[in-house]
mmCIF file of all heavy atoms in Angstrom:
data_model
loop_
_atom_site.group_PDB
_atom_site.id
_atom_site.type_symbol
_atom_site.label_atom_id
_atom_site.label_comp_id
_atom_site.label_asym_id
_atom_site.label_seq_id
_atom_site.Cartn_x
_atom_site.Cartn_y
_atom_site.Cartn_z
ATOM 1 N N THR A 16 35.331 182.445 79.837
ATOM 2 C CA THR A 16 35.875 183.524 79.006
ATOM 3 C C THR A 16 34.745 184.279 78.310
ATOM 4 O O THR A 16 34.730 185.516 78.282
ATOM 5 C CB THR A 16 36.866 182.952 77.978
ATOM 6 O OG1 THR A 16 37.942 182.312 78.665
ATOM 7 C CG2 THR A 16 37.436 184.059 77.092
ATOM 8 N N VAL A 17 33.779 183.542 77.751
ATOM 9 C CA VAL A 17 32.635 184.190 77.101
ATOM 10 C C VAL A 17 31.865 185.049 78.100
ATOM 11 O O VAL A 17 31.549 186.218 77.840
ATOM 12 C CB VAL A 17 31.702 183.138 76.466
ATOM 13 C CG1 VAL A 17 30.384 183.786 76.018
ATOM 14 C CG2 VAL A 17 32.382 182.469 75.279
ATOM 15 N N ALA A 18 31.575 184.476 79.268
ATOM 16 C CA ALA A 18 30.803 185.208 80.276
ATOM 17 C C ALA A 18 31.526 186.476 80.720
ATOM 18 O O ALA A 18 30.930 187.553 80.825
ATOM 19 C CB ALA A 18 30.526 184.299 81.479
ATOM 20 N N LYS A 19 32.827 186.352 80.964
ATOM 21 C CA LYS A 19 33.616 187.495 81.437
ATOM 22 C C LYS A 19 33.648 188.609 80.384
ATOM 23 O O LYS A 19 33.464 189.792 80.696
ATOM 24 C CB LYS A 19 35.046 187.036 81.747
ATOM 25 C CG LYS A 19 35.970 188.111 82.281
ATOM 26 C CD LYS A 19 35.929 188.156 83.779
ATOM 27 C CE LYS A 19 37.077 188.957 84.353
ATOM 28 N NZ LYS A 19 37.097 188.874 85.834
ATOM 29 N N GLU A 20 33.846 188.242 79.125
ATOM 30 C CA GLU A 20 34.024 189.257 78.083
ATOM 31 C C GLU A 20 32.707 189.889 77.646
ATOM 32 O O GLU A 20 32.689 191.026 77.181
ATOM 33 C CB GLU A 20 34.787 188.664 76.895
ATOM 34 C CG GLU A 20 36.202 188.260 77.280
ATOM 35 C CD GLU A 20 37.151 188.141 76.109
ATOM 36 O OE1 GLU A 20 36.763 188.522 74.979
ATOM 37 O OE2 GLU A 20 38.271 187.668 76.327
ATOM 38 N N LEU A 21 31.595 189.169 77.804
ATOM 39 C CA LEU A 21 30.293 189.752 77.459
ATOM 40 C C LEU A 21 29.659 190.482 78.638
ATOM 41 O O LEU A 21 28.697 191.231 78.458
ATOM 42 C CB LEU A 21 29.341 188.659 76.957
ATOM 43 C CG LEU A 21 29.637 188.099 75.564
ATOM 44 C CD1 LEU A 21 28.645 186.997 75.228
ATOM 45 C CD2 LEU A 21 29.592 189.186 74.489
ATOM 46 N N ASP A 22 30.191 190.282 79.829
ATOM 47 C CA ASP A 22 29.610 190.860 81.052
ATOM 48 C C ASP A 22 29.412 192.384 80.976
ATOM 49 O O ASP A 22 28.371 192.885 81.401
ATOM 50 C CB ASP A 22 30.497 190.486 82.248
ATOM 51 C CG ASP A 22 29.874 190.837 83.587
ATOM 52 O OD1 ASP A 22 28.657 190.641 83.750
ATOM 53 O OD2 ASP A 22 30.604 191.302 84.476
ATOM 54 N N PRO A 23 30.357 193.149 80.418
ATOM 55 C CA PRO A 23 30.143 194.604 80.377
ATOM 56 C C PRO A 23 29.051 195.053 79.402
ATOM 57 O O PRO A 23 28.542 196.160 79.524
ATOM 58 C CB PRO A 23 31.512 195.145 79.921
ATOM 59 C CG PRO A 23 32.491 194.049 80.171
ATOM 60 C CD PRO A 23 31.724 192.790 79.976
ATOM 61 N N PHE A 24 28.683 194.179 78.436
ATOM 62 C CA PHE A 24 27.804 194.608 77.348
ATOM 63 C C PHE A 24 26.417 193.977 77.391
ATOM 64 O O PHE A 24 25.494 194.468 76.747
ATOM 65 C CB PHE A 24 28.442 194.266 75.993
ATOM 66 C CG PHE A 24 29.879 194.671 75.883
ATOM 67 C CD1 PHE A 24 30.889 193.727 75.989
ATOM 68 C CD2 PHE A 24 30.233 196.000 75.712
ATOM 69 C CE1 PHE A 24 32.217 194.087 75.898
ATOM 70 C CE2 PHE A 24 31.569 196.371 75.624
ATOM 71 C CZ PHE A 24 32.563 195.422 75.723
ATOM 72 N N THR A 25 26.268 192.864 78.099
ATOM 73 C CA THR A 25 25.007 192.113 78.090
ATOM 74 C C THR A 25 24.671 191.674 79.511
ATOM 75 O O THR A 25 25.495 191.771 80.416
ATOM 76 C CB THR A 25 25.114 190.859 77.195
ATOM 77 O OG1 THR A 25 26.069 189.962 77.783
ATOM 78 C CG2 THR A 25 25.550 191.199 75.779
ATOM 79 N N ASP A 26 23.450 191.187 79.671
ATOM 80 C CA ASP A 26 23.072 190.543 80.933
ATOM 81 C C ASP A 26 23.425 189.060 80.819
ATOM 82 O O ASP A 26 22.740 188.303 80.121
ATOM 83 C CB ASP A 26 21.574 190.712 81.203
ATOM 84 C CG ASP A 26 21.241 192.103 81.713
ATOM 85 O OD1 ASP A 26 22.172 192.827 82.111
ATOM 86 O OD2 ASP A 26 20.048 192.471 81.702
ATOM 87 N N VAL A 27 24.504 188.670 81.488
ATOM 88 C CA VAL A 27 25.024 187.304 81.384
ATOM 89 C C VAL A 27 24.546 186.459 82.557
ATOM 90 O O VAL A 27 24.587 186.898 83.710
ATOM 91 C CB VAL A 27 26.565 187.310 81.352
ATOM 92 C CG1 VAL A 27 27.110 185.888 81.430
ATOM 93 C CG2 VAL A 27 27.079 187.992 80.093
ATOM 94 N N VAL A 28 24.107 185.246 82.238
ATOM 95 C CA VAL A 28 23.860 184.222 83.252
ATOM 96 C C VAL A 28 24.758 183.040 82.910
ATOM 97 O O VAL A 28 24.695 182.509 81.797
ATOM 98 C CB VAL A 28 22.385 183.771 83.268
ATOM 99 C CG1 VAL A 28 22.197 182.623 84.261
ATOM 100 C CG2 VAL A 28 21.469 184.916 83.615
ATOM 101 N N LEU A 29 25.606 182.657 83.852
ATOM 102 C CA LEU A 29 26.481 181.492 83.687
ATOM 103 C C LEU A 29 25.892 180.351 84.515
ATOM 104 O O LEU A 29 25.715 180.481 85.725
ATOM 105 C CB LEU A 29 27.899 181.817 84.144
ATOM 106 C CG LEU A 29 28.914 180.667 84.117
ATOM 107 C CD1 LEU A 29 29.159 180.189 82.698
ATOM 108 C CD2 LEU A 29 30.234 181.091 84.764
ATOM 109 N N VAL A 30 25.571 179.255 83.863
ATOM 110 C CA VAL A 30 24.983 178.089 84.536
ATOM 111 C C VAL A 30 26.066 177.035 84.707
ATOM 112 O O VAL A 30 26.648 176.566 83.713
ATOM 113 C CB VAL A 30 23.804 177.511 83.723
ATOM 114 C CG1 VAL A 30 23.256 176.259 84.401
ATOM 115 C CG2 VAL A 30 22.719 178.555 83.537
ATOM 116 N N GLU A 31 26.339 176.669 85.953
ATOM 117 C CA GLU A 31 27.439 175.737 86.242
ATOM 118 C C GLU A 31 27.134 174.985 87.537
ATOM 119 O O GLU A 31 26.896 175.599 88.565
ATOM 120 C CB GLU A 31 28.759 176.519 86.377
ATOM 121 C CG GLU A 31 29.917 175.737 86.947
ATOM 122 C CD GLU A 31 30.238 174.467 86.177
ATOM 123 O OE1 GLU A 31 30.400 174.532 84.937
ATOM 124 O OE2 GLU A 31 30.337 173.409 86.817
ATOM 125 N N PRO A 32 27.138 173.640 87.510
ATOM 126 C CA PRO A 32 26.823 172.885 88.729
ATOM 127 C C PRO A 32 27.949 172.836 89.755
ATOM 128 O O PRO A 32 27.691 172.563 90.929
ATOM 129 C CB PRO A 32 26.512 171.476 88.202
ATOM 130 C CG PRO A 32 27.215 171.387 86.890
ATOM 131 C CD PRO A 32 27.226 172.774 86.324
ATOM 132 N N ARG A 33 29.185 173.104 89.344
ATOM 133 C CA ARG A 33 30.294 173.030 90.289
ATOM 134 C C ARG A 33 30.308 174.221 91.233
ATOM 135 O O ARG A 33 29.942 175.327 90.861
ATOM 136 C CB ARG A 33 31.640 172.990 89.557
ATOM 137 C CG ARG A 33 31.884 171.763 88.732
ATOM 138 C CD ARG A 33 33.296 171.843 88.141
ATOM 139 N NE ARG A 33 33.516 170.836 87.125
ATOM 140 C CZ ARG A 33 33.889 169.577 87.385
ATOM 141 N NH1 ARG A 33 34.069 169.200 88.631
ATOM 142 N NH2 ARG A 33 34.056 168.713 86.408
ATOM 143 N N GLU A 34 30.823 173.965 92.413
ATOM 144 C CA GLU A 34 30.993 175.033 93.400
ATOM 145 C C GLU A 34 32.059 176.026 92.941
ATOM 146 O O GLU A 34 31.907 177.240 93.108
ATOM 147 C CB GLU A 34 31.400 174.410 94.732
ATOM 148 C CG GLU A 34 31.590 175.386 95.860
ATOM 149 C CD GLU A 34 31.993 174.683 97.146
ATOM 150 O OE1 GLU A 34 32.277 173.473 97.127
ATOM 151 O OE2 GLU A 34 32.028 175.371 98.182
ATOM 152 N N ASP A 35 33.147 175.530 92.366
ATOM 153 C CA ASP A 35 34.268 176.361 91.920
ATOM 154 C C ASP A 35 34.703 175.930 90.526
ATOM 155 O O ASP A 35 34.502 174.779 90.122
ATOM 156 C CB ASP A 35 35.474 176.205 92.862
ATOM 157 C CG ASP A 35 35.195 176.679 94.271
ATOM 158 O OD1 ASP A 35 34.742 177.820 94.427
ATOM 159 O OD2 ASP A 35 35.432 175.895 95.220
ATOM 160 N N PHE A 36 35.328 176.858 89.815
ATOM 161 C CA PHE A 36 36.046 176.515 88.585
ATOM 162 C C PHE A 36 37.209 175.597 88.936
ATOM 163 O O PHE A 36 37.898 175.809 89.939
ATOM 164 C CB PHE A 36 36.567 177.797 87.932
ATOM 165 C CG PHE A 36 37.462 177.567 86.741
ATOM 166 C CD1 PHE A 36 36.927 177.415 85.469
ATOM 167 C CD2 PHE A 36 38.840 177.523 86.889
ATOM 168 C CE1 PHE A 36 37.752 177.222 84.370
ATOM 169 C CE2 PHE A 36 39.676 177.328 85.789
ATOM 170 C CZ PHE A 36 39.123 177.173 84.529
ATOM 171 N N VAL A 37 37.422 174.561 88.118
ATOM 172 C CA VAL A 37 38.553 173.651 88.333
ATOM 173 C C VAL A 37 39.556 173.847 87.202
ATOM 174 O O VAL A 37 39.211 173.699 86.022
ATOM 175 C CB VAL A 37 38.091 172.184 88.391
ATOM 176 C CG1 VAL A 37 39.285 171.280 88.701
ATOM 177 C CG2 VAL A 37 37.002 171.991 89.444
ATOM 178 N N HIS A 38 40.773 174.175 87.574
ATOM 179 C CA HIS A 38 41.855 174.416 86.597
ATOM 180 C C HIS A 38 42.457 173.066 86.197
ATOM 181 O O HIS A 38 43.503 172.652 86.687
ATOM 182 C CB HIS A 38 42.896 175.334 87.239
ATOM 183 C CG HIS A 38 44.031 175.697 86.342
ATOM 184 N ND1 HIS A 38 43.900 175.866 84.979
ATOM 185 C CD2 HIS A 38 45.359 175.924 86.616
ATOM 186 C CE1 HIS A 38 45.078 176.187 84.460
ATOM 187 N NE2 HIS A 38 45.971 176.216 85.428
#
Side-chain angles (χ1 to χ4, degrees):
T16 300
V17 169
K19 181 91 166 186
E20 296 201 8
L21 288 178
D22 189 40
F24 312 103
T25 65
D26 283 346
V27 173
V28 175
L29 176 64
V30 177
E31 168 56 52
R33 294 183 191 276
E34 181 180 9
D35 297 307
F36 173 87
V37 183
H38 182 34

